[in-house]
Amino acid sequence: MIGGGAAAAMTAFLAACSGGGSYSDKPANNNKPVATKSIQIGKANIPVPRDQSVIVGQVEYTVFDSFNGMIPNGSPSGAGVELSTEPLFFLSFATGKLTPWLATEYKYNDAFTELTLKFDPKAHWNDGQPLGANDFKFTVMLLKDRPDLFGGGGDLKEFVKTVDVPDPHTAVVTFLKPAPRFHYNFIAAIAGAPNNIMPEHIWKSQDPTKYKNNPPVGSGPYKLKQAIRNQKMFVWEKDPNYWNKDKLDVKPQYAVYQSTSKQLDQASLAFERAEFDVGSVDEPHAKQLRNTGYPNLVTTQFHDPNPRVFWLNCDPARGVMSEPKMRWAINYCIDREKIGNSIWPVKVPPAQYPWADYPTNDKWKNDELANKYKFEFNTDKASQLLDEIAPKNGAGKRTYKGKEINLEIITVSPVDGGEYAIANVLKTALAKVGVPSTLRSLAGSVHDDKFQRGQYDIDSNWAGFAIDPVQLYTDWTSDKYQPIGKNSAGKNKMRFRNPDFDKIVDQLGQLNPDSPEAKPLLDKALEIYFQQLPLLASIQTGYPSYFNTAFWKDWPTDDNVYEVPLNWWPHFIFVLGKISATGQKGPA
């Protein structure tokens, strides 16, 4: 259970979350072509029995001997590490349910200055050592004192005073100031939890900037069997001593994560031949398979927690961008219907709120404000605003404070990527209202440097939050401001400053987000957001998951999204607990 007292907030949270059910805007397709195509099953290149294995096609792997996620390039992304890593709580955006896992309950005092966590006494690490409150204390205190580590500093350093362990299954955190959202750090909501518990008996004698954690010691239902560099493959094996088997018994004996071919035709053929069960096909090739009656493809739509957005640089040093009317003119130049219907690889709805359209987020909306500050594609309104703040000179060029304007749009997306295409739609519309712009695709490190240093006008990117809007708003306050040229370190990248907004966010930071006092403040913050537009949501983001039913069935479907279907989230263990083998054998 979740503890009583102040933690009754979670009861309200769950009540608000659980009514909406799963989210997929793509209805079950009852008119798809008849499955007439016969398939030829290929031989998967794996070192374990095919009929006992789920094979996941994933990204290009470069790290194979390190699983330390606290340092740059210290752990491979999307390689199955999530199958061995568990949070204190799971929050499912597919069902709206919060499920206690390593922890059985949490409870705040009335002032939110103390948090008590209870750990499941059955929990243990995959090396057999017990997992509990001492591991939690070790993790929190290490990260609190090491802001140089990923997951260090931040909320932990700002809030944590002490962690006491009255018994092996109880941790009591005392805060420096009210911290009603501190437990968010240990909930797997978007992908994994912000902070994962570390085994003290492993890490206490290690330098966290050098230790590779190979093989990784975790608590999940799978353990690393082997990493095969020359095949770009990770093989995970079911842990026979998994501590929570009475609640979760994963079905495949092995989970194999492998980089797919860079040649899309070749990767798609591998899926068609059932050499992969998950992934290894993109939407154009999946469409071809559907149209030819391929019988084994299941496509499950699920929205990413981060809408595609434009970050707008509000710093006065960027000239006309500091004007709210300029940012509204940009807003009127965004053709969200076109972007959602024909630019993004799958059809998705437009977005106005800066968060995903999950049922769990419905309670943060205010439709009256959304209608008052209506988002629409309207270049005439854009021109009217521009005429006020950037009138045309004798040469027909728009000027601001005597200087011709020309905006710089950047994106980390490659030129054939979705965010680049979205930015190009905006660039075209801006040109029609007399605002010239440049659009550049920048490599990851180059982009990040410019983005963090505020050396841009518009950035085509993504944004969102895990549980409530204050997580987003906290990064936008004036105390996080850095002048152009100085690294923002992930905070207030658009250089937004508004004293009224700061005050509201500070008040919200000390309130239970579901308290009656919070909603009016959330609405005030939302209205300032709509007035100032430091960030513009364009579309919700659809990422279909592709499953093959040759060897395994009962995958999540559009009409039964029983769990988040994304294989790089730790929630995928619940999918592996639901599927069942078809009995198909691999070729000799």
Side-chain angles (χ1 to χ4, degrees):
M1 68 169 188
I2 305 298
M10 184 50 71
T11 302
F13 176 81
L14 290 174
C17 291
S18 60
S22 63
Y23 183 78
S24 169
D25 69 348
K26 181 179 178 184
N29 185 358
N30 297 318
N31 299 314
K32 63 183 179 181
V34 176
T36 56
K37 185 175 183 179
S38 61
I39 70 166
Q40 180 181 354
I41 294 178
K43 186 175 182 179
N45 185 25
I46 59 173
V48 288
R50 177 65 179 99
D51 61 324
Q52 299 177 38
S53 307
V54 158
I55 308 176
V56 180
Q58 256 289 356
V59 296
E60 184 78 5
Y61 300 126
T62 57
V63 178
F64 295 89
D65 62 349
S66 178
F67 299 88
N68 178 359
M70 295 185 293
I71 57 176
N73 299 312
S75 186
S77 175
V81 182
E82 301 77 16
L83 307 181
S84 69
T85 307
E86 296 182 314
L88 271 59
F89 305 91
F90 280 99
L91 173 61
S92 172
F93 288 136
T95 65
K97 293 180 180 178
L98 183 129
T99 303
W101 207 250
L102 293 176
T104 59
E105 63 176 281
Y106 74 90
K107 180 179 180 180
Y108 286 95
N109 65 1
D110 290 342
F112 292 103
T113 55
E114 186 177 279
L115 169 66
T116 300
L117 287 159
K118 294 287 187 180
F119 287 82
D120 194 319
K122 304 193 308 296
H124 62 75
W125 300 103
N126 61 24
D127 63 0
Q129 293 296 309
L131 183 162
N134 285 304
D135 297 300
F136 174 83
K137 177 180 179 179
F138 170 79
T139 302
V140 170
M141 299 311 289
L142 172 66
L143 295 179
K144 170 183 179 291
D145 295 330
R146 294 294 298 268
D148 57 317
L149 302 175
F150 294 167
D155 288 344
L156 302 187
K157 187 175 182 65
E158 182 180 352
F159 289 101
V160 175
K161 181 179 181 182
T162 61
V163 180
D164 296 314
V165 180
D167 65 67
H169 310 303
T170 305
V172 180
V173 189
T174 302
F175 301 122
L176 296 166
K177 59 182 179 180
R181 292 169 178 80
F182 189 79
H183 62 293
Y184 287 8
N185 289 291
F186 307 98
I187 297 176
I190 294 178
N195 301 119
N196 289 308
I197 306 304
M198 302 158 58
E200 181 184 19
H201 68 283
I202 297 291
W203 287 87
K204 65 181 178 182
S205 59
Q206 304 293 339
D207 179 345
T209 66
K210 297 179 180 178
Y211 184 54
K212 293 189 175 183
N213 191 31
N214 184 22
V217 175
S219 63
Y222 286 93
K223 298 172 65 171
L224 182 68
K225 178 177 174 65
Q226 61 186 133
I228 309 173
R229 183 183 295 269
N230 63 357
Q231 295 184 43
K232 298 184 178 179
M233 178 188 296
F234 295 84
V235 181
W236 301 85
E237 185 172 16
K238 188 173 176 178
D239 183 356
N241 299 313
Y242 176 53
W243 71 274
N244 214 9
K245 192 178 291 187
D246 59 332
K247 291 185 179 178
L248 173 66
D249 186 16
V250 289
K251 302 307 187 294
Q253 181 69 20
Y254 304 97
V256 180
Y257 283 67
Q258 186 174 17
S259 297
T260 57
S261 171
K262 294 181 180 179
Q263 302 299 318
L264 295 179
D265 287 346
Q266 187 174 337
S268 176
L269 179 61
F271 181 91
E272 184 178 352
R273 291 165 59 87
E275 294 167 19
F276 287 89
D277 301 294
V278 183
S280 185
V281 65
D282 62 350
E283 179 57 27
H285 286 87
K287 186 176 182 179
Q288 291 177 17
L289 291 178
R290 292 186 207 106
N291 290 340
T292 57
Y294 182 76
N296 291 347
L297 172 64
V298 171
T299 304
T300 307
Q301 172 94 298
F302 193 78
H303 279 186
D304 189 82
N306 298 312
R308 299 304 94 169
V309 304
F310 293 104
W311 296 79
L312 306 183
N313 197 331
C314 305
D315 198 286
R318 302 304 295 193
V320 72
M321 289 296 299
S322 65
E323 297 278 355
K325 287 184 178 180
M326 180 66 205
R327 302 195 289 271
W328 262 98
I330 294 169
N331 192 25
Y332 285 132
C333 288
I334 301 174
D335 191 343
R336 291 173 171 83
E337 294 293 337
K338 178 179 181 179
I339 293 169
N341 291 339
S342 60
I343 299 299
W344 198 248
V346 293
K347 187 175 179 179
V348 291
Q352 175 165 3
Y353 297 102
W355 53 72
D357 53 353
Y358 296 145
T360 49
N361 289 335
D362 284 348
K363 59 183 174 176
W364 312 123
K365 299 192 322 185
N366 184 313
D367 290 339
E368 183 178 344
L369 287 176
N371 289 328
K372 180 179 178 182
Y373 300 95
K374 185 179 179 181
F375 283 16
E376 60 179 308
F377 178 56
N378 192 321
T379 53
D380 288 340
K381 287 186 176 181
S383 294
Q384 291 170 14
L385 290 173
L386 289 165
D387 288 344
E388 295 177 32
I389 59 172
K392 293 181 179 179
N393 60 17
K397 306 289 186 181
R398 291 197 180 277
T399 63
Y400 179 74
K401 295 184 177 179
K403 293 184 178 181
E404 292 183 6
I405 62 175
N406 191 316
L407 303 184
E408 182 177 8
I409 307 174
I410 65 172
T411 182
V412 73
S413 168
V415 294
D416 60 350
E419 293 79 15
Y420 187 95
I422 291 171
N424 207 33
V425 171
L426 173 61
K427 178 186 175 183
T428 300
L430 286 172
K432 291 179 178 178
V433 295
V435 178
S437 59
T438 59
L439 170 58
R440 292 191 293 161
S441 169
L442 303 176
S445 58
V446 177
H447 169 270
D448 190 60
D449 188 63
K450 283 192 169 291
F451 189 31
Q452 300 289 351
R453 295 181 186 280
Q455 295 167 334
Y456 71 95
D457 292 310
I458 302 172
D459 190 305
S460 182
N461 211 308
W462 52 85
F465 60 79
I467 300 175
D468 83 66
V470 176
Q471 294 174 285
L472 196 67
Y473 298 157
T474 298
D475 285 348
W476 299 358
T477 53
S478 301
D479 61 312
K480 311 294 194 314
Y481 170 83
Q482 297 289 352
I484 299 292
K486 189 170 182 180
N487 195 315
S488 68
K491 309 289 186 182
N492 201 347
K493 296 182 286 288
M494 60 289 224
R495 274 66 182 174
F496 176 63
R497 286 180 287 181
N498 185 287
D500 293 333
F501 186 80
D502 296 342
K503 183 177 179 181
I504 293 167
V505 173
D506 182 63
Q507 291 176 275
L508 284 167
Q510 301 182 51
L511 288 174
N512 161 20
D514 293 296
S515 67
E517 301 89 346
K519 180 58 174 168
L521 290 172
L522 285 163
D523 287 342
K524 287 182 180 179
L526 182 63
E527 182 157 26
I528 292 174
Y529 162 74
F530 281 144
Q531 291 169 344
Q532 299 292 318
L533 294 185
L535 177 147
L536 284 169
S538 62
I539 55 168
Q540 298 295 334
T541 309
Y543 281 124
S545 292
Y546 304 102
F547 302 109
N548 196 302
T549 60
F551 287 88
W552 300 93
K553 60 182 180 179
D554 302 322
W555 298 103
T557 61
D558 281 332
D559 54 356
N560 183 21
V561 188
Y562 58 77
E563 187 48 87
V564 174
L566 310 178
N567 69 76
W568 58 95
W569 288 31
H571 305 67
F572 196 62
I573 60 173
F574 298 111
V575 174
L576 297 181
K578 278 275 192 179
I579 61 174
S580 55
T582 63
Q584 174 70 50
K585 300 293 183 182

